[in-house]
Amino acid sequence: MDLKHLDNTLLDGRTKGIPGTAAPFRLGDIGAQGWNVMEEDLPLPLMLLRRSHLDHNAVVFGDYLTAHDLSLAPHGKTTMTPQLFDEQLAHGAWGITAATVQQALVMQHYGVQRILLGNQLIGKSAVASVSAMLHRDPDLAFYCFVDSPAQLALIERHLSAAPPPGPVRVLLEVGVEGGRTGVRTRAEADALAQAIARADPQLIRFAGVAAFEGVVPGIADSADPVAAYAEAVVDIATALPPALLNGLDEFILTGGGSAHFDMMARAFATLSLPVQIRIVLRSGCYITNDSGTYFAAQEIARKDPSRSWSSTLKPALEIWAYVQSRPEPELALLTMGKRDAPYDAGLPVPFARHVPGKGTAPIGPAEIFAMNDQHAFVRLPATSDWQVGDMIGSGISHPCTAFDKWRFLPIVNDAYDVTDGVLTEF
């Protein structure tokens, strides 16, 4: 990927996370600034990425994919960071998944050649944008989800008004009752398959079947609904009209978020068709993981002998903030809030304390129990020795709502020296 102009991006104190005393500098020169987070060289709050943890996760997840003959199109909406897309592709990702056409346009701008829109393509402007993408690069492989003849007809109608040089590749999405998008029954899948077969092959090309298990009802209490859903997806793929497979070089079967990807992959491996099958996981959070929802789900899988996941991913995202007030014996306020850290799938979890000028200190019992826009409320024992000015490091839950709060994130080594930085493009 061509990232040169990102390295040439000028940053200064107007950018969140950059010290106000910094003269404008190129992002590519950030390592030469000599900054260290623990020396208070950067303002807090600060979301950062640990280089060693990013590298660990890339290797561990890559080994899992290789061992199970799986492909990966990580969900780019997690980070919307071209530098991380580049690393994921360099580690063997088959493509990158987008959630919106705008995200897909960002990916194409930086040279991604295989883009999977993990969502319904709908609307005149969106379809015209996809057609324009294909005109800019006829070699681009663009995939999208379809889950109804009505949506398919809209795509075809809008494409007819601005025909692309090659067809849009569609994936029949299978959903679940009470879930999100996707057909609910085999009869609905058959009706949609027939509609795809009738579509203009110059505009629409069938490519396979898609699923997403992360919103299956009941998975908060048990993984059993995921197994049942995965089997239903395979059943529908097995029952597709044979004519729909004619001319396919390979059949894409895609699913797998960041919590139950191993269960989906195991079920998908049972599919047998008279065409080569490529199983594509779309896990987006593996690259950074977290300290909450996904870490807990993967720990459950790792300890279950019936699951194929046995490794450990490390949390690469951390947010650091100051203790700004101890207004009550059992309360501390931190200089971070909902504008800085995710809160939709669990609040940040304090894991480290650094006392400026002195070094690491015990964190003791501490729980963030609420956040406002700019403040985090921490419950402490009355005997806690937290002081105003202490630096508190917290792990986050749900990377998908962490990156979008920051245009710039520094990358640090294990001594918290700033060695690099990334930019987000939401």
Short mmCIF file of all heavy atoms in Angstrom, two decimals, residues 120 146-153 183 192 195:
data_model
loop_
_atom_site.label_atom_id
_atom_site.label_comp_id
_atom_site.label_asym_id
_atom_site.label_seq_id
_atom_site.Cartn_x
_atom_site.Cartn_y
_atom_site.Cartn_z
N GLN A 120 -25.30 -4.70 3.49
CA GLN A 120 -26.11 -4.56 2.29
C GLN A 120 -25.67 -3.31 1.51
O GLN A 120 -25.53 -2.23 2.09
CB GLN A 120 -27.60 -4.43 2.64
CG GLN A 120 -28.34 -5.73 2.77
CD GLN A 120 -27.76 -6.64 3.83
OE1 GLN A 120 -27.43 -6.18 4.93
NE2 GLN A 120 -27.64 -7.91 3.53
N VAL A 146 -26.18 -9.50 -0.01
CA VAL A 146 -27.58 -9.32 -0.40
C VAL A 146 -28.44 -10.24 0.44
O VAL A 146 -28.03 -11.36 0.76
CB VAL A 146 -27.83 -9.59 -1.91
CG1 VAL A 146 -27.15 -8.55 -2.77
CG2 VAL A 146 -27.37 -10.99 -2.30
N ASP A 147 -29.62 -9.77 0.83
CA ASP A 147 -30.49 -10.64 1.63
C ASP A 147 -31.96 -10.58 1.20
O ASP A 147 -32.83 -11.11 1.90
CB ASP A 147 -30.36 -10.33 3.13
CG ASP A 147 -30.99 -9.01 3.54
OD1 ASP A 147 -31.36 -8.21 2.65
OD2 ASP A 147 -31.12 -8.78 4.76
N SER A 148 -32.22 -9.96 0.03
CA SER A 148 -33.60 -9.94 -0.46
C SER A 148 -33.61 -9.66 -1.96
O SER A 148 -32.74 -8.94 -2.47
CB SER A 148 -34.42 -8.86 0.26
OG SER A 148 -34.00 -7.56 -0.14
N PRO A 149 -34.61 -10.21 -2.67
CA PRO A 149 -34.76 -9.86 -4.09
C PRO A 149 -34.96 -8.37 -4.28
O PRO A 149 -34.54 -7.81 -5.30
CB PRO A 149 -35.98 -10.68 -4.51
CG PRO A 149 -36.00 -11.86 -3.58
CD PRO A 149 -35.52 -11.30 -2.27
N ALA A 150 -35.61 -7.70 -3.32
CA ALA A 150 -35.85 -6.26 -3.45
C ALA A 150 -34.53 -5.49 -3.46
O ALA A 150 -34.33 -4.58 -4.28
CB ALA A 150 -36.73 -5.78 -2.30
N GLN A 151 -33.63 -5.84 -2.55
CA GLN A 151 -32.32 -5.17 -2.53
C GLN A 151 -31.55 -5.47 -3.81
O GLN A 151 -30.93 -4.58 -4.41
CB GLN A 151 -31.51 -5.62 -1.31
CG GLN A 151 -30.14 -4.95 -1.22
CD GLN A 151 -29.05 -5.85 -0.68
OE1 GLN A 151 -29.33 -6.93 -0.14
NE2 GLN A 151 -27.80 -5.44 -0.82
N LEU A 152 -31.57 -6.74 -4.24
CA LEU A 152 -30.87 -7.12 -5.46
C LEU A 152 -31.38 -6.32 -6.66
O LEU A 152 -30.59 -5.84 -7.49
CB LEU A 152 -31.04 -8.62 -5.71
CG LEU A 152 -30.32 -9.18 -6.93
CD1 LEU A 152 -28.82 -9.19 -6.71
CD2 LEU A 152 -30.82 -10.59 -7.24
N ALA A 153 -32.70 -6.16 -6.74
CA ALA A 153 -33.29 -5.41 -7.86
C ALA A 153 -32.84 -3.96 -7.85
O ALA A 153 -32.59 -3.37 -8.91
CB ALA A 153 -34.82 -5.50 -7.79
N VAL A 183 -31.29 -13.59 5.23
CA VAL A 183 -32.50 -14.41 5.08
C VAL A 183 -32.66 -15.30 6.30
O VAL A 183 -31.69 -15.72 6.93
CB VAL A 183 -32.44 -15.26 3.80
CG1 VAL A 183 -32.37 -14.38 2.56
CG2 VAL A 183 -31.27 -16.24 3.83
N LEU A 192 -34.10 -16.00 -3.12
CA LEU A 192 -33.05 -15.03 -3.42
C LEU A 192 -32.04 -15.62 -4.41
O LEU A 192 -31.58 -14.93 -5.33
CB LEU A 192 -32.35 -14.60 -2.13
CG LEU A 192 -31.20 -13.60 -2.27
CD1 LEU A 192 -31.64 -12.35 -3.04
CD2 LEU A 192 -30.66 -13.22 -0.89
N ALA A 195 -33.38 -15.35 -7.81
CA ALA A 195 -33.30 -13.97 -8.30
C ALA A 195 -31.88 -13.63 -8.75
O ALA A 195 -31.68 -12.95 -9.78
CB ALA A 195 -33.76 -13.01 -7.22
#
